[in-house]
Amino acid sequence: MYRRLKQKESQVNKLTKEVKDVEDQEQRKAFRIDMPFDRCTFSIIKIGNKMLKKGSNERPGSISDLSVNGMQLITDMDFPVRKHVVLRMTFKIKGEEFKVVGVIKRKLELNLKPKMTYGIEFKKLKRTTKERLFQLLNEIEIERKKKTE
């Protein structure tokens, strides 16, 4: 009986890992580029059902990586991830300013203490904004590849 339980537990662990691998692949549908510590600012729009006053809480942050669907934000703030935190972020790519709204999807525990890293999913991004962001990210990636050749 104990042996059968161990076999079942092993099967469950294997399936759980496979599901997590698929989820990780699905979360990253767009290519991402590293933007090590590019600066940004953000403000909290909403935590749970509570709306916050516009512009009253702007904070500095850094971008770890960026795609047309989201980014990794590094900040000294510790957000309650399960409370549905909505942020407005402002950043520049090649001198062009972007203002986007996103939701914190995950908190990453990295060796950046006291800083925290959050996976942000962009919401309601206009098609033209998304296309321009894609174009600039693609240009950066091409420039980086040329430098390594």
Side-chain angles (χ1 to χ4, degrees):
M1 176 107 163
Y2 177 76
R3 196 167 117 198
R4 286 176 74 197
L5 282 174
K6 280 294 188 187
Q7 287 174 334
K8 293 288 182 189
E9 182 181 12
S10 177
Q11 289 172 339
V12 167
N13 289 339
K14 184 179 176 184
L15 289 172
T16 301
K17 184 185 179 323
E18 288 175 13
V19 167
K20 182 166 178 10
D21 290 345
V22 169
E23 286 174 346
D24 288 345
Q25 289 171 1
E26 286 298 312
Q27 284 178 345
R28 305 238 166 131
K29 292 178 182 173
F31 79 96
R32 291 179 174 261
I33 65 167
D34 290 333
M35 306 289 287
F37 306 108
D38 275 17
R39 283 182 262 165
C40 68
T41 58
F42 67 92
S43 55
I44 306 163
I45 298 174
K46 186 176 172 183
I47 297 178
N49 294 328
K50 184 179 178 186
M51 297 293 289
L52 276 77
K53 196 174 190 179
K54 186 177 180 178
S56 65
N57 59 36
E58 190 169 276
R59 299 233 183 223
S62 298
I63 302 170
S64 174
D65 67 38
L66 181 65
S67 80
V68 295
N69 294 331
M71 65 186 268
Q72 278 193 12
L73 171 68
I74 300 170
T75 179
D76 57 357
M77 293 196 65
D78 191 2
F79 291 112
V81 177
R82 293 190 177 128
K83 293 261 186 183
H84 190 74
V85 179
V86 181
L87 304 174
R88 177 178 292 111
M89 282 118 347
T90 303
F91 55 88
K92 286 186 179 181
I93 303 293
K94 297 184 84 168
E96 201 167 317
E97 187 173 82
F98 288 86
K99 294 183 181 213
V100 298
V101 173
V103 176
I104 294 177
K105 291 306 233 180
R106 65 194 158 279
K107 184 185 220 178
L108 306 166
E109 304 280 336
L110 301 175
N111 294 327
L112 298 173
K113 290 183 179 176
K115 306 261 187 209
M116 303 299 290
T117 303
Y118 298 94
I120 310 290
E121 180 182 354
F122 296 151
K123 296 291 183 188
K124 299 179 183 175
L125 206 58
K126 292 180 184 174
R127 185 180 55 82
T128 54
T129 303
K130 199 171 193 172
E131 287 172 355
R132 184 64 184 143
L133 183 57
F134 177 81
Q135 184 179 21
L136 291 171
L137 293 175
N138 200 31
E139 286 175 16
I140 291 170
E141 189 65 19
I142 290 168
E143 289 168 6
R144 287 181 181 175
K145 284 184 179 180
K146 284 182 181 178
K147 286 181 182 178
T148 61
E149 290 177 354

